[in-house]
Short mmCIF file of all heavy atoms in Angstrom, two decimals:
data_model
loop_
_atom_site.label_atom_id
_atom_site.label_comp_id
_atom_site.label_asym_id
_atom_site.label_seq_id
_atom_site.Cartn_x
_atom_site.Cartn_y
_atom_site.Cartn_z
N VAL Y 330 -11.67 39.74 -1.87
CA VAL Y 330 -12.31 38.51 -2.32
C VAL Y 330 -11.59 37.97 -3.57
O VAL Y 330 -11.33 36.78 -3.68
CB VAL Y 330 -13.81 38.74 -2.61
CG1 VAL Y 330 -14.47 37.47 -3.15
CG2 VAL Y 330 -14.51 39.21 -1.33
N VAL Y 331 -11.27 38.86 -4.46
CA VAL Y 331 -10.53 38.45 -5.66
C VAL Y 331 -9.21 37.79 -5.26
O VAL Y 331 -8.83 36.74 -5.78
CB VAL Y 331 -10.29 39.67 -6.57
CG1 VAL Y 331 -9.26 39.35 -7.66
CG2 VAL Y 331 -11.61 40.11 -7.21
N ASN Y 332 -8.52 38.42 -4.32
CA ASN Y 332 -7.26 37.84 -3.86
C ASN Y 332 -7.45 36.41 -3.37
O ASN Y 332 -6.66 35.53 -3.66
CB ASN Y 332 -6.67 38.68 -2.71
CG ASN Y 332 -6.05 39.95 -3.25
OD1 ASN Y 332 -5.71 40.03 -4.44
ND2 ASN Y 332 -5.90 40.95 -2.39
N THR Y 333 -8.51 36.20 -2.59
CA THR Y 333 -8.76 34.86 -2.06
C THR Y 333 -8.99 33.86 -3.18
O THR Y 333 -8.37 32.79 -3.21
CB THR Y 333 -10.01 34.89 -1.16
OG1 THR Y 333 -9.81 35.88 -0.15
CG2 THR Y 333 -10.25 33.55 -0.52
N TYR Y 334 -9.86 34.19 -4.10
CA TYR Y 334 -10.20 33.26 -5.18
C TYR Y 334 -9.01 32.99 -6.09
O TYR Y 334 -8.85 31.89 -6.61
CB TYR Y 334 -11.36 33.81 -6.03
CG TYR Y 334 -12.73 33.37 -5.58
CD1 TYR Y 334 -13.32 33.95 -4.46
CD2 TYR Y 334 -13.45 32.40 -6.26
CE1 TYR Y 334 -14.59 33.58 -4.05
CE2 TYR Y 334 -14.72 32.01 -5.85
CZ TYR Y 334 -15.28 32.60 -4.75
OH TYR Y 334 -16.53 32.23 -4.34
N LEU Y 335 -8.20 34.03 -6.32
CA LEU Y 335 -7.12 33.86 -7.28
C LEU Y 335 -5.85 33.32 -6.65
O LEU Y 335 -4.92 32.89 -7.37
CB LEU Y 335 -6.84 35.19 -8.01
CG LEU Y 335 -7.60 35.37 -9.34
CD1 LEU Y 335 -9.08 35.17 -9.15
CD2 LEU Y 335 -7.31 36.72 -9.98
N SER Y 336 -5.81 33.30 -5.32
CA SER Y 336 -4.56 32.93 -4.63
C SER Y 336 -4.02 31.56 -5.06
O SER Y 336 -2.80 31.41 -5.16
CB SER Y 336 -4.75 33.00 -3.11
OG SER Y 336 -5.70 32.04 -2.69
N PRO Y 337 -4.84 30.55 -5.34
CA PRO Y 337 -4.24 29.25 -5.70
C PRO Y 337 -3.67 29.24 -7.12
O PRO Y 337 -3.08 28.25 -7.52
CB PRO Y 337 -5.42 28.27 -5.62
CG PRO Y 337 -6.51 28.98 -4.93
CD PRO Y 337 -6.30 30.42 -5.20
N HIS Y 338 -3.90 30.29 -7.87
CA HIS Y 338 -3.57 30.23 -9.29
C HIS Y 338 -2.37 31.10 -9.61
O HIS Y 338 -2.11 32.11 -8.96
CB HIS Y 338 -4.79 30.62 -10.12
CG HIS Y 338 -5.96 29.73 -9.85
ND1 HIS Y 338 -6.07 28.48 -10.38
CD2 HIS Y 338 -7.03 29.91 -9.04
CE1 HIS Y 338 -7.18 27.91 -9.93
NE2 HIS Y 338 -7.78 28.76 -9.11
N ASN Y 339 -1.72 30.70 -10.65
CA ASN Y 339 -0.53 31.39 -11.10
C ASN Y 339 -0.95 32.59 -11.92
O ASN Y 339 -1.07 32.53 -13.13
CB ASN Y 339 0.32 30.40 -11.92
CG ASN Y 339 1.52 31.06 -12.53
OD1 ASN Y 339 1.96 32.12 -12.04
ND2 ASN Y 339 2.04 30.47 -13.60
N VAL Y 340 -1.20 33.68 -11.24
CA VAL Y 340 -1.72 34.84 -11.94
C VAL Y 340 -1.22 36.10 -11.22
O VAL Y 340 -1.09 36.13 -9.99
CB VAL Y 340 -3.26 34.81 -11.98
CG1 VAL Y 340 -3.83 34.57 -10.62
CG2 VAL Y 340 -3.85 36.09 -12.55
N ARG Y 341 -0.92 37.12 -11.99
CA ARG Y 341 -0.50 38.39 -11.42
C ARG Y 341 -1.66 39.37 -11.45
O ARG Y 341 -2.33 39.53 -12.47
CB ARG Y 341 0.66 38.99 -12.22
CG ARG Y 341 2.05 38.67 -11.67
CD ARG Y 341 3.11 39.23 -12.58
NE ARG Y 341 2.86 38.86 -13.97
CZ ARG Y 341 2.90 39.73 -14.98
NH1 ARG Y 341 3.19 40.99 -14.76
NH2 ARG Y 341 2.66 39.31 -16.21
N ILE Y 342 -1.88 40.02 -10.34
CA ILE Y 342 -2.90 41.07 -10.29
C ILE Y 342 -2.18 42.40 -10.24
O ILE Y 342 -1.33 42.62 -9.38
CB ILE Y 342 -3.78 40.91 -9.04
CG1 ILE Y 342 -4.51 39.56 -9.07
CG2 ILE Y 342 -4.77 42.06 -8.94
CD1 ILE Y 342 -5.29 39.26 -7.82
N GLU Y 343 -2.53 43.29 -11.15
CA GLU Y 343 -1.97 44.65 -11.08
C GLU Y 343 -3.11 45.65 -11.02
O GLU Y 343 -4.20 45.40 -11.52
CB GLU Y 343 -1.09 44.92 -12.30
CG GLU Y 343 0.27 44.26 -12.20
CD GLU Y 343 1.15 44.61 -13.40
OE1 GLU Y 343 1.01 45.73 -13.94
OE2 GLU Y 343 1.97 43.75 -13.78
N TYR Y 344 -2.81 46.76 -10.40
CA TYR Y 344 -3.84 47.79 -10.24
C TYR Y 344 -3.57 49.00 -11.12
O TYR Y 344 -2.44 49.49 -11.17
CB TYR Y 344 -3.93 48.22 -8.78
CG TYR Y 344 -4.62 47.16 -7.95
CD1 TYR Y 344 -3.89 46.18 -7.28
CD2 TYR Y 344 -6.01 47.12 -7.89
CE1 TYR Y 344 -4.53 45.18 -6.57
CE2 TYR Y 344 -6.65 46.13 -7.17
CZ TYR Y 344 -5.92 45.17 -6.50
OH TYR Y 344 -6.55 44.19 -5.80
N VAL Y 345 -4.58 49.43 -11.80
CA VAL Y 345 -4.49 50.65 -12.60
C VAL Y 345 -4.86 51.82 -11.71
O VAL Y 345 -5.85 51.77 -10.99
CB VAL Y 345 -5.47 50.57 -13.80
CG1 VAL Y 345 -5.35 51.82 -14.66
CG2 VAL Y 345 -5.21 49.32 -14.60
N ASN Y 346 -4.03 52.86 -11.76
CA ASN Y 346 -4.30 54.02 -10.91
C ASN Y 346 -5.57 54.75 -11.32
O ASN Y 346 -6.01 54.65 -12.45
CB ASN Y 346 -3.14 55.03 -11.01
CG ASN Y 346 -1.86 54.41 -10.48
OD1 ASN Y 346 -1.87 53.52 -9.65
ND2 ASN Y 346 -0.73 54.90 -11.00
N TYR Y 347 -6.09 55.49 -10.37
CA TYR Y 347 -7.18 56.39 -10.74
C TYR Y 347 -6.64 57.82 -10.78
O TYR Y 347 -5.66 58.14 -10.11
CB TYR Y 347 -8.37 56.25 -9.79
CG TYR Y 347 -8.17 56.76 -8.38
CD1 TYR Y 347 -8.41 58.10 -8.04
CD2 TYR Y 347 -7.75 55.90 -7.37
CE1 TYR Y 347 -8.23 58.54 -6.74
CE2 TYR Y 347 -7.57 56.33 -6.08
CZ TYR Y 347 -7.81 57.66 -5.76
OH TYR Y 347 -7.62 58.11 -4.47
N ASN Y 348 -7.29 58.61 -11.56
CA ASN Y 348 -6.93 60.00 -11.70
C ASN Y 348 -7.44 60.76 -10.47
O ASN Y 348 -8.64 60.76 -10.19
CB ASN Y 348 -7.57 60.53 -12.99
CG ASN Y 348 -7.26 61.99 -13.22
OD1 ASN Y 348 -7.37 62.81 -12.31
ND2 ASN Y 348 -6.87 62.29 -14.45
N HIS Y 349 -6.57 61.39 -9.76
CA HIS Y 349 -6.96 62.01 -8.50
C HIS Y 349 -7.80 63.26 -8.69
O HIS Y 349 -8.38 63.76 -7.74
CB HIS Y 349 -5.73 62.26 -7.63
CG HIS Y 349 -5.19 60.99 -7.05
ND1 HIS Y 349 -5.19 60.72 -5.71
CD2 HIS Y 349 -4.70 59.88 -7.65
CE1 HIS Y 349 -4.69 59.49 -5.49
NE2 HIS Y 349 -4.37 58.97 -6.67
N ASP Y 350 -7.87 63.69 -9.91
CA ASP Y 350 -8.68 64.84 -10.23
C ASP Y 350 -10.13 64.45 -10.51
O ASP Y 350 -11.07 65.04 -9.99
CB ASP Y 350 -8.07 65.49 -11.48
CG ASP Y 350 -8.25 66.98 -11.42
OD1 ASP Y 350 -8.20 67.55 -10.31
OD2 ASP Y 350 -8.45 67.58 -12.49
N THR Y 351 -10.26 63.40 -11.31
CA THR Y 351 -11.60 62.99 -11.72
C THR Y 351 -12.13 61.82 -10.89
O THR Y 351 -13.33 61.56 -10.87
CB THR Y 351 -11.60 62.50 -13.19
OG1 THR Y 351 -10.71 61.37 -13.29
CG2 THR Y 351 -11.12 63.61 -14.13
N GLY Y 352 -11.23 61.11 -10.24
CA GLY Y 352 -11.66 59.90 -9.52
C GLY Y 352 -11.81 58.71 -10.44
O GLY Y 352 -12.12 57.60 -10.00
N LEU Y 353 -11.60 58.92 -11.74
CA LEU Y 353 -11.82 57.85 -12.72
C LEU Y 353 -10.50 57.16 -13.07
O LEU Y 353 -9.41 57.68 -12.79
CB LEU Y 353 -12.45 58.42 -13.99
CG LEU Y 353 -13.71 59.27 -13.80
CD1 LEU Y 353 -14.24 59.74 -15.15
CD2 LEU Y 353 -14.79 58.48 -13.05
N ILE Y 354 -10.63 56.01 -13.71
CA ILE Y 354 -9.45 55.25 -14.13
C ILE Y 354 -8.55 56.11 -15.02
O ILE Y 354 -9.03 56.80 -15.92
CB ILE Y 354 -9.90 53.99 -14.91
CG1 ILE Y 354 -10.54 53.00 -13.95
CG2 ILE Y 354 -8.73 53.34 -15.63
CD1 ILE Y 354 -11.22 51.84 -14.62
N ASP Y 355 -7.27 56.03 -14.73
CA ASP Y 355 -6.28 56.79 -15.49
C ASP Y 355 -5.96 56.02 -16.76
O ASP Y 355 -5.32 54.97 -16.73
CB ASP Y 355 -5.03 56.97 -14.60
CG ASP Y 355 -3.96 57.78 -15.29
OD1 ASP Y 355 -3.93 57.81 -16.55
OD2 ASP Y 355 -3.14 58.36 -14.58
N LEU Y 356 -6.41 56.52 -17.90
CA LEU Y 356 -6.27 55.80 -19.16
C LEU Y 356 -4.80 55.59 -19.54
O LEU Y 356 -4.43 54.55 -20.10
CB LEU Y 356 -6.97 56.54 -20.30
CG LEU Y 356 -8.50 56.59 -20.25
CD1 LEU Y 356 -9.05 57.04 -21.58
CD2 LEU Y 356 -9.08 55.24 -19.87
N GLU Y 357 -4.03 56.57 -19.21
CA GLU Y 357 -2.60 56.44 -19.56
C GLU Y 357 -1.97 55.30 -18.78
O GLU Y 357 -1.22 54.49 -19.32
CB GLU Y 357 -1.85 57.76 -19.26
CG GLU Y 357 -2.21 58.88 -20.22
CD GLU Y 357 -2.20 58.40 -21.68
OE1 GLU Y 357 -1.17 57.83 -22.12
OE2 GLU Y 357 -3.23 58.56 -22.39
N ASP Y 358 -2.30 55.26 -17.51
CA ASP Y 358 -1.75 54.19 -16.67
C ASP Y 358 -2.23 52.82 -17.18
O ASP Y 358 -1.48 51.86 -17.19
CB ASP Y 358 -2.16 54.41 -15.22
CG ASP Y 358 -1.35 53.54 -14.27
OD1 ASP Y 358 -0.10 53.54 -14.39
OD2 ASP Y 358 -1.96 52.82 -13.44
N LEU Y 359 -3.49 52.78 -17.61
CA LEU Y 359 -4.02 51.53 -18.16
C LEU Y 359 -3.22 51.11 -19.38
O LEU Y 359 -2.78 49.96 -19.50
CB LEU Y 359 -5.50 51.72 -18.54
CG LEU Y 359 -6.11 50.60 -19.39
CD1 LEU Y 359 -6.17 49.28 -18.61
CD2 LEU Y 359 -7.51 50.97 -19.87
N LYS Y 360 -3.01 52.05 -20.29
CA LYS Y 360 -2.26 51.74 -21.51
C LYS Y 360 -0.85 51.28 -21.18
O LYS Y 360 -0.28 50.40 -21.85
CB LYS Y 360 -2.21 52.97 -22.42
CG LYS Y 360 -3.54 53.24 -23.12
CD LYS Y 360 -3.48 54.53 -23.95
CE LYS Y 360 -4.86 54.97 -24.37
NZ LYS Y 360 -4.90 56.41 -24.73
N ASN Y 361 -0.27 51.85 -20.14
CA ASN Y 361 1.08 51.44 -19.74
C ASN Y 361 1.09 50.03 -19.19
O ASN Y 361 2.03 49.28 -19.41
CB ASN Y 361 1.64 52.39 -18.67
CG ASN Y 361 2.00 53.73 -19.28
OD1 ASN Y 361 2.23 53.82 -20.49
ND2 ASN Y 361 2.00 54.77 -18.44
N LYS Y 362 0.07 49.67 -18.47
CA LYS Y 362 0.10 48.39 -17.76
C LYS Y 362 -0.48 47.23 -18.56
O LYS Y 362 -0.14 46.07 -18.31
CB LYS Y 362 -0.65 48.52 -16.42
CG LYS Y 362 0.19 49.32 -15.41
CD LYS Y 362 -0.52 49.58 -14.11
CE LYS Y 362 0.40 50.33 -13.14
NZ LYS Y 362 -0.34 51.05 -12.11
N ILE Y 363 -1.32 47.52 -19.50
CA ILE Y 363 -1.92 46.42 -20.27
C ILE Y 363 -0.87 45.86 -21.23
O ILE Y 363 -0.04 46.60 -21.78
CB ILE Y 363 -3.18 46.90 -21.02
CG1 ILE Y 363 -4.03 45.68 -21.43
CG2 ILE Y 363 -2.83 47.75 -22.24
CD1 ILE Y 363 -5.43 46.07 -21.90
N ASP Y 364 -0.87 44.54 -21.36
CA ASP Y 364 0.08 43.92 -22.29
C ASP Y 364 -0.50 42.61 -22.80
O ASP Y 364 -1.62 42.25 -22.44
CB ASP Y 364 1.44 43.71 -21.61
CG ASP Y 364 1.32 42.84 -20.38
OD1 ASP Y 364 0.34 42.06 -20.24
OD2 ASP Y 364 2.21 42.92 -19.51
N ASN Y 365 0.27 41.94 -23.62
CA ASN Y 365 -0.22 40.71 -24.25
C ASN Y 365 -0.52 39.60 -23.26
O ASN Y 365 -1.23 38.66 -23.56
CB ASN Y 365 0.80 40.20 -25.27
CG ASN Y 365 0.69 40.99 -26.56
OD1 ASN Y 365 -0.40 41.35 -26.99
ND2 ASN Y 365 1.85 41.32 -27.15
N ASP Y 366 0.04 39.73 -22.08
CA ASP Y 366 -0.18 38.71 -21.06
C ASP Y 366 -1.47 38.97 -20.25
O ASP Y 366 -1.83 38.20 -19.38
CB ASP Y 366 1.04 38.66 -20.13
CG ASP Y 366 1.08 37.36 -19.33
OD1 ASP Y 366 0.68 36.31 -19.89
OD2 ASP Y 366 1.47 37.41 -18.14
N THR Y 367 -2.12 40.07 -20.57
CA THR Y 367 -3.30 40.46 -19.79
C THR Y 367 -4.54 39.69 -20.24
O THR Y 367 -5.00 39.84 -21.37
CB THR Y 367 -3.56 41.98 -19.94
OG1 THR Y 367 -2.34 42.67 -19.61
CG2 THR Y 367 -4.68 42.44 -19.03
N ALA Y 368 -5.07 38.87 -19.33
CA ALA Y 368 -6.25 38.08 -19.66
C ALA Y 368 -7.52 38.92 -19.58
O ALA Y 368 -8.44 38.75 -20.37
CB ALA Y 368 -6.37 36.89 -18.72
N ALA Y 369 -7.57 39.82 -18.62
CA ALA Y 369 -8.79 40.60 -18.44
C ALA Y 369 -8.51 41.91 -17.75
O ALA Y 369 -7.55 42.03 -16.98
CB ALA Y 369 -9.81 39.81 -17.64
N VAL Y 370 -9.36 42.87 -18.07
CA VAL Y 370 -9.31 44.16 -17.41
C VAL Y 370 -10.69 44.42 -16.81
O VAL Y 370 -11.70 44.22 -17.49
CB VAL Y 370 -8.96 45.28 -18.42
CG1 VAL Y 370 -9.01 46.64 -17.74
CG2 VAL Y 370 -7.59 45.03 -19.02
N TYR Y 371 -10.69 44.85 -15.58
CA TYR Y 371 -11.96 45.08 -14.90
C TYR Y 371 -12.18 46.57 -14.68
O TYR Y 371 -11.24 47.30 -14.34
CB TYR Y 371 -11.94 44.35 -13.55
CG TYR Y 371 -13.16 44.59 -12.68
CD1 TYR Y 371 -14.44 44.28 -13.14
CD2 TYR Y 371 -13.03 45.13 -11.40
CE1 TYR Y 371 -15.55 44.49 -12.34
CE2 TYR Y 371 -14.14 45.33 -10.58
CZ TYR Y 371 -15.39 45.01 -11.06
OH TYR Y 371 -16.50 45.22 -10.27
N VAL Y 372 -13.40 46.96 -14.87
CA VAL Y 372 -13.79 48.34 -14.57
C VAL Y 372 -15.05 48.30 -13.73
O VAL Y 372 -16.00 47.58 -14.07
CB VAL Y 372 -14.07 49.11 -15.88
CG1 VAL Y 372 -14.73 50.46 -15.57
CG2 VAL Y 372 -12.79 49.32 -16.66
N GLN Y 373 -15.06 49.04 -12.65
CA GLN Y 373 -16.28 49.16 -11.84
C GLN Y 373 -16.90 50.52 -12.09
O GLN Y 373 -16.22 51.55 -11.93
CB GLN Y 373 -15.96 48.99 -10.36
CG GLN Y 373 -17.21 49.18 -9.48
CD GLN Y 373 -16.92 49.08 -7.98
OE1 GLN Y 373 -15.99 48.38 -7.57
NE2 GLN Y 373 -17.72 49.77 -7.19
N SER Y 374 -18.17 50.54 -12.50
CA SER Y 374 -18.82 51.82 -12.79
C SER Y 374 -20.28 51.76 -12.38
O SER Y 374 -21.00 50.89 -12.87
CB SER Y 374 -18.71 52.15 -14.27
OG SER Y 374 -19.42 53.35 -14.56
N PRO Y 375 -20.75 52.65 -11.53
CA PRO Y 375 -19.99 53.66 -10.79
C PRO Y 375 -18.89 52.97 -9.96
O PRO Y 375 -19.11 51.89 -9.43
CB PRO Y 375 -21.03 54.29 -9.87
CG PRO Y 375 -22.34 54.04 -10.54
CD PRO Y 375 -22.19 52.75 -11.26
N ASN Y 376 -17.77 53.64 -9.89
CA ASN Y 376 -16.66 53.05 -9.14
C ASN Y 376 -16.91 53.15 -7.63
O ASN Y 376 -17.98 53.60 -7.21
CB ASN Y 376 -15.34 53.68 -9.58
CG ASN Y 376 -15.31 55.18 -9.30
OD1 ASN Y 376 -15.86 55.64 -8.30
ND2 ASN Y 376 -14.69 55.93 -10.21
N PHE Y 377 -15.93 52.72 -6.85
CA PHE Y 377 -16.16 52.68 -5.41
C PHE Y 377 -16.53 54.05 -4.85
O PHE Y 377 -17.26 54.16 -3.87
CB PHE Y 377 -14.92 52.14 -4.70
CG PHE Y 377 -15.09 51.98 -3.22
CD1 PHE Y 377 -16.04 51.12 -2.70
CD2 PHE Y 377 -14.32 52.71 -2.32
CE1 PHE Y 377 -16.21 50.97 -1.33
CE2 PHE Y 377 -14.49 52.58 -0.95
CZ PHE Y 377 -15.43 51.71 -0.46
N PHE Y 378 -16.01 55.11 -5.48
CA PHE Y 378 -16.32 56.46 -5.00
C PHE Y 378 -17.71 56.91 -5.44
O PHE Y 378 -18.17 57.98 -5.05
CB PHE Y 378 -15.28 57.45 -5.51
CG PHE Y 378 -13.86 57.08 -5.17
CD1 PHE Y 378 -12.87 57.03 -6.16
CD2 PHE Y 378 -13.50 56.77 -3.86
CE1 PHE Y 378 -11.56 56.68 -5.83
CE2 PHE Y 378 -12.18 56.42 -3.54
CZ PHE Y 378 -11.21 56.37 -4.53
N GLY Y 379 -18.34 56.10 -6.27
CA GLY Y 379 -19.68 56.46 -6.75
C GLY Y 379 -19.63 57.17 -8.09
O GLY Y 379 -20.67 57.51 -8.65
N TYR Y 380 -18.44 57.38 -8.61
CA TYR Y 380 -18.29 58.15 -9.86
C TYR Y 380 -18.42 57.25 -11.08
O TYR Y 380 -18.03 56.08 -11.06
CB TYR Y 380 -16.97 58.92 -9.84
CG TYR Y 380 -17.12 60.16 -8.97
CD1 TYR Y 380 -17.21 60.04 -7.58
CD2 TYR Y 380 -17.27 61.41 -9.54
CE1 TYR Y 380 -17.41 61.16 -6.78
CE2 TYR Y 380 -17.47 62.54 -8.76
CZ TYR Y 380 -17.55 62.40 -7.38
OH TYR Y 380 -17.78 63.51 -6.61
N ILE Y 381 -18.99 57.83 -12.11
CA ILE Y 381 -19.32 57.07 -13.32
C ILE Y 381 -18.12 57.04 -14.25
O ILE Y 381 -17.58 58.09 -14.63
CB ILE Y 381 -20.52 57.73 -14.03
CG1 ILE Y 381 -21.72 57.81 -13.08
CG2 ILE Y 381 -20.87 56.96 -15.31
CD1 ILE Y 381 -22.78 58.80 -13.51
N GLU Y 382 -17.71 55.83 -14.59
CA GLU Y 382 -16.55 55.69 -15.48
C GLU Y 382 -16.98 56.02 -16.91
O GLU Y 382 -17.28 55.15 -17.72
CB GLU Y 382 -15.98 54.26 -15.38
CG GLU Y 382 -15.33 53.94 -14.04
CD GLU Y 382 -13.98 54.65 -13.84
OE1 GLU Y 382 -13.41 55.20 -14.81
OE2 GLU Y 382 -13.49 54.65 -12.68
N GLU Y 383 -16.96 57.29 -17.20
CA GLU Y 383 -17.50 57.75 -18.48
C GLU Y 383 -16.68 57.29 -19.68
O GLU Y 383 -17.16 57.31 -20.82
CB GLU Y 383 -17.65 59.28 -18.48
CG GLU Y 383 -16.35 60.00 -18.20
CD GLU Y 383 -16.53 61.51 -18.06
OE1 GLU Y 383 -17.15 61.91 -17.06
OE2 GLU Y 383 -16.08 62.26 -18.92
N ASN Y 384 -15.45 56.84 -19.44
CA ASN Y 384 -14.61 56.39 -20.56
C ASN Y 384 -14.66 54.88 -20.76
O ASN Y 384 -13.77 54.32 -21.40
CB ASN Y 384 -13.16 56.83 -20.32
CG ASN Y 384 -13.06 58.31 -20.04
OD1 ASN Y 384 -13.65 59.12 -20.76
ND2 ASN Y 384 -12.36 58.68 -18.97
N ALA Y 385 -15.68 54.26 -20.20
CA ALA Y 385 -15.73 52.79 -20.22
C ALA Y 385 -15.60 52.24 -21.64
O ALA Y 385 -14.89 51.26 -21.88
CB ALA Y 385 -17.02 52.31 -19.57
N LYS Y 386 -16.29 52.86 -22.57
CA LYS Y 386 -16.27 52.34 -23.94
C LYS Y 386 -14.85 52.37 -24.51
O LYS Y 386 -14.38 51.41 -25.13
CB LYS Y 386 -17.22 53.15 -24.82
CG LYS Y 386 -17.63 52.43 -26.10
CD LYS Y 386 -18.65 53.27 -26.88
CE LYS Y 386 -18.84 52.74 -28.27
NZ LYS Y 386 -19.63 51.49 -28.29
N GLU Y 387 -14.19 53.48 -24.26
CA GLU Y 387 -12.81 53.65 -24.71
C GLU Y 387 -11.91 52.60 -24.06
O GLU Y 387 -11.06 51.99 -24.72
CB GLU Y 387 -12.38 55.05 -24.29
CG GLU Y 387 -11.34 55.68 -25.17
CD GLU Y 387 -11.09 57.12 -24.69
OE1 GLU Y 387 -12.03 57.75 -24.16
OE2 GLU Y 387 -9.94 57.57 -24.82
N ILE Y 388 -12.14 52.38 -22.78
CA ILE Y 388 -11.35 51.36 -22.08
C ILE Y 388 -11.57 50.00 -22.73
O ILE Y 388 -10.62 49.27 -23.02
CB ILE Y 388 -11.75 51.31 -20.58
CG1 ILE Y 388 -11.32 52.60 -19.89
CG2 ILE Y 388 -11.10 50.09 -19.90
CD1 ILE Y 388 -11.83 52.75 -18.47
N GLY Y 389 -12.83 49.70 -23.03
CA GLY Y 389 -13.16 48.44 -23.67
C GLY Y 389 -12.40 48.28 -24.98
O GLY Y 389 -11.90 47.18 -25.29
N GLU Y 390 -12.31 49.35 -25.72
CA GLU Y 390 -11.59 49.27 -27.00
C GLU Y 390 -10.11 48.99 -26.78
O GLU Y 390 -9.50 48.18 -27.49
CB GLU Y 390 -11.81 50.55 -27.80
CG GLU Y 390 -13.21 50.57 -28.44
CD GLU Y 390 -13.71 51.96 -28.78
OE1 GLU Y 390 -12.90 52.92 -28.72
OE2 GLU Y 390 -14.91 52.08 -29.08
N ILE Y 391 -9.53 49.67 -25.81
CA ILE Y 391 -8.12 49.43 -25.48
C ILE Y 391 -7.93 47.95 -25.12
O ILE Y 391 -6.98 47.30 -25.57
CB ILE Y 391 -7.67 50.34 -24.31
CG1 ILE Y 391 -7.73 51.81 -24.73
CG2 ILE Y 391 -6.28 49.95 -23.81
CD1 ILE Y 391 -7.59 52.80 -23.58
N VAL Y 392 -8.85 47.45 -24.32
CA VAL Y 392 -8.76 46.06 -23.86
C VAL Y 392 -8.89 45.09 -25.02
O VAL Y 392 -8.10 44.15 -25.17
CB VAL Y 392 -9.85 45.77 -22.80
CG1 VAL Y 392 -9.84 44.30 -22.41
CG2 VAL Y 392 -9.65 46.65 -21.58
#
Side-chain angles (χ1 to χ4, degrees):
Chain Y
V330 177
V331 166
N332 284 340
T333 305
Y334 268 76
L335 267 54
S336 64
H338 301 282
N339 175 21
V340 51
R341 265 177 311 132
I342 299 174
E343 283 183 31
Y344 285 94
V345 181
N346 297 334
Y347 69 88
N348 179 313
H349 287 246
D350 213 34
T351 61
L353 307 182
I354 289 170
D355 181 335
L356 291 194
E357 289 314 306
D358 194 50
L359 168 65
K360 286 176 193 159
N361 288 337
K362 286 176 177 158
I363 199 167
D364 59 22
N365 281 321
D366 198 36
T367 307
V370 176
Y371 175 59
V372 170
Q373 177 183 331
S374 176
N376 62 36
F377 184 62
F378 305 129
Y380 282 72
I381 303 162
E382 292 288 347
E383 57 186 69
N384 307 313
K386 199 176 168 74
E387 209 176 329
I388 293 172
E390 283 158 11
I391 295 168
V392 175

